[in-house]
Amino acid sequence: MALRLRLALVVAALAATLVAGGSVAFAFSMSAGARATLQHSLERRARRVIEQLAGHLLPTVANAARPVASADQSTVQIVTPSHRLLYTTAAAGPVSLISLHLFARARRGQVWVQLRRPGWDNPHLVLAEPAGPVTSDVVVVGASLDQVVDITHQVDLVLELVGPAVVVASAGGAWLLAGSALRPVERLRAQVQQISAGNPRARLAPPGTGDELAALADTFNGLLDRLCGALDHQRQFVAAASHELRTPLAALEAELEMVGRGARGAVDPVEMTHRLTGRVAELVRLADGLLTLARADEGAGLVHVEPQPLEPLVAASLDGFRAVAERSRVTMVLDADPFVVAPVDATRFRQVVGNLVDNAIRYSPNGARVEIGLRRVGTAAVIDVRDHGPGLPAEFLPRAFERFSRADPARSRKEGGAGLGLAIVWTIVDAHGGTVTLSNTPDRGALARVSLPLDVGAPHADPHPSRR
Ligand SMILES: Nc1ncnc2c1ncn2[C@@H]1O[C@H](COP(=O)(O)OP(=O)(O)OP(=O)(O)O)[C@@H](O)[C@H]1O
Ligand SMILES: [Mg+2]
């Protein structure tokens, strides 16, 4: 059922309940007031009759077979213990208004009853009480409840005529109000419908009312901004990844063409196979790196940590670079504390050390040293990779961990770097709850420092690693 209709029905039901309840309460208080006034006047009248009786001012008779005429047309009787009438008015009639049982009760004090008699249009309120301290007679006074009945009738009339009108008017009002309140919602809904993947830059026009709807539009626009940002990020990532894949693929294609020509005797097959294997290894490394970052973006469990000594892992990482280091005539020096144990994902940890050592060797001059340190500092395991190369340009340092960022794209590209190594390091270290920094050392060269928590339950530095 539409919200608007639901609101109108609820308001109609509320209005009906309020009108009925209000009318009943009003009728009750009005009739209670009228009845109280009537009671007071009956009490006053009874007192007057008792005074008149005591002063022998009433024309009493022993047997009121014929009613005694009364000027005020009121209902008054004086009844004896033998249930005869000493006095009665024309309105009260020739028969005692009260029964013997009521008479007995009235002898002891005030008795109020509501009576109906043939010839009376409405019931009467009747008061019976002792006629005086020295007599056993009872004074009976009564008056019609016309006013109380009239009030009840009037309220009934209001209920019948005004009630439905009020209910219909309030339901109509609610319908109109809900319509105007929901109109901006409908406008927003139509705008949201128009925002599609084709025009993701479109935004909702805030109603400018400063109310909850304006806040909803702002929140929705914020959500769209974040989604667009994520979409842009993914697009850039895919574009950059394709670009990076193209270069080694083009080189591979060119070299394969050379193999074709070499078949006619121009290229040494061993050397060519070696070069092709290198190209394919580069592609595999690139694909691995992209996969690592994509998995981290997905929020999929990138690391599965297990407490273990770090020294063997660092040593194993260095072993993988012995040949490269030798070729570049770089000496790797490891200074490791063998007792440092930390919860790490062994494969990912080796990837971190490998990427940093790869950079250090790649950017080191021939004959230089690359120093790798592992030690415990407070509650962290600290891994340092220091080289004596040119270091990083100061303006590049803040961007060094961004994906596909290279200080000197042309030069690094030639040297085979895609600009992903440090981004991968950052992502893996972050997934371990650690931190990584890169700086230039005072004596020329770069220092990469990784700091990993020693406790399994150490709090994660940033629960939502920003995408680099
Ligand atoms: N030790 C270093 N000395 C000098 N410059 C460095 C060093 N480490 C990194 N850089 C600079 O930072 C850039 C980013 O490094 P990163 O490891 O992310 O990418 P890469 O080494 O170029 O390529 P990849 O690691 O993906 O093969 C490098 O291109 C280089 O310009
Ligand atoms: Mg690198």
Side-chain angles (χ1 to χ4, degrees):
M1 197 193 296
L3 180 62
R4 197 178 177 190
L5 184 59
R6 272 211 308 266
L7 271 173
L9 288 180
V10 167
V11 170
L14 270 176
T17 313
L18 279 177
V19 167
S23 307
V24 168
F26 179 71
F28 184 77
S29 82
M30 290 294 283
S31 59
R35 186 181 272 266
T37 311
L38 199 59
Q39 280 180 335
H40 280 128
S41 87
L42 285 177
E43 279 173 337
R44 271 201 308 276
R45 191 179 304 160
R47 249 194 326 274
R48 219 172 36 243
V49 170
I50 291 167
E51 284 164 9
Q52 286 174 334
L53 191 63
H56 301 287
L57 297 173
L58 274 186
T60 53
V61 290
N63 185 352
R66 280 181 34 241
V68 176
S70 166
D72 62 3
Q73 289 298 304
S74 58
T75 304
V76 180
Q77 287 186 338
I78 296 169
V79 188
T80 66
S82 56
H83 213 232
R84 283 184 296 112
L85 296 180
L86 278 187
Y87 175 80
T88 184
T89 57
V95 181
S96 170
L97 290 172
I98 55 169
S99 64
L100 278 172
H101 169 69
L102 276 179
F103 180 89
R105 277 177 55 203
R107 281 294 315 136
R108 294 194 292 275
Q110 279 192 342
V111 173
W112 291 96
V113 279
Q114 199 167 307
L115 296 178
R116 279 181 179 281
R117 284 285 180 275
W120 289 354
D121 290 342
N122 289 314
H124 278 47
L125 184 64
V126 169
L127 165 65
E129 63 176 74
V134 291
T135 162
S136 310
D137 300 337
V138 161
V139 172
V140 179
V141 290
S144 167
L145 283 164
D146 289 350
Q147 219 185 336
V148 175
V149 172
D150 276 359
I151 288 171
T152 315
H153 283 160
Q154 277 164 14
V155 171
D156 282 353
L157 203 67
V158 167
L159 260 182
E160 278 164 23
L161 295 178
V162 181
V166 169
V167 169
V168 169
S170 37
W175 172 267
L176 292 176
L177 262 176
S180 76
L182 289 174
R183 212 161 296 131
V185 177
E186 173 54 25
R187 264 201 301 275
L188 286 183
R189 193 201 61 73
Q191 288 178 29
V192 171
Q193 202 174 26
Q194 276 167 11
I195 299 173
S196 62
N199 61 343
R201 306 271 158 229
R203 293 289 177 271
L204 300 183
T209 44
D211 57 7
E212 290 82 352
L213 279 179
L216 176 69
D218 281 348
T219 309
F220 195 81
N221 282 342
L223 172 72
L224 284 175
D225 285 344
R226 285 194 297 283
L227 287 176
C228 265
L231 199 66
D232 284 349
H233 172 84
Q234 286 303 324
R235 281 189 182 143
Q236 281 165 14
F237 184 56
V238 170
S242 324
H243 178 80
E244 292 303 324
L245 282 167
R246 260 183 72 85
T247 313
L249 279 172
L252 189 62
E253 189 183 26
E255 276 156 357
L256 282 171
E257 274 174 18
M258 279 173 70
V259 173
R261 285 201 297 277
R264 291 191 291 276
V267 187
D268 170 22
V270 179
E271 189 197 330
M272 188 45 80
T273 309
H274 182 72
R275 263 161 59 181
L276 288 178
T277 313
R279 291 287 178 210
V280 172
E282 187 189 339
L283 275 169
V284 169
R285 204 168 75 86
L286 191 55
D288 277 349
L290 291 173
L291 201 63
T292 303
L293 293 172
R295 284 187 61 187
D297 283 353
E298 267 175 29
L302 183 66
V303 294
H304 302 284
V305 301
E306 219 174 281
Q308 53 199 301
L310 299 188
E311 194 243 9
L313 298 179
V314 176
S317 301
L318 299 193
D319 285 345
F321 285 91
R322 296 259 173 248
V324 184
E326 234 165 71
R327 242 193 341 267
S328 312
R329 290 199 281 129
V330 168
T331 318
M332 292 188 292
V333 183
L334 173 62
D335 174 15
D337 175 348
F339 301 108
V340 180
V341 174
V344 295
D345 180 314
T347 312
R348 297 294 183 197
F349 179 77
R350 285 179 56 177
Q351 210 175 343
V352 166
V353 177
N355 283 2
L356 296 177
V357 170
D358 177 46
N359 282 352
I361 296 175
R362 191 182 291 179
Y363 300 102
S364 284
N366 279 354
R369 276 158 65 101
V370 167
E371 291 137 21
I372 301 101
L374 167 66
R375 67 209 153 94
R376 183 192 168 124
V377 178
T379 56
V382 173
I383 301 100
D384 282 345
V385 177
R386 186 191 304 264
D387 64 56
H388 298 277
L392 295 98
E395 70 281 1
F396 175 72
L397 274 173
R399 291 188 295 113
F401 292 100
E402 286 175 15
R403 295 173 184 183
F404 304 108
S405 70
R406 293 178 290 245
D408 178 358
R411 191 172 147 260
S412 310
R413 179 104 256 354
K414 251 185 266 146
E415 287 163 9
L420 284 181
L422 288 177
I424 291 168
V425 167
W426 189 92
T427 304
I428 295 174
V429 170
D430 187 74
H432 278 86
T435 56
V436 54
T437 57
L438 196 63
S439 58
N440 289 321
T441 56
D443 55 339
R444 218 170 112 86
L447 167 66
R449 174 163 292 171
V450 172
S451 188
L452 297 175
L454 292 174
D455 301 335
V456 182
H460 197 292
D462 174 7
H464 305 291
S466 56
R467 291 162 174 192
R468 285 174 180 270

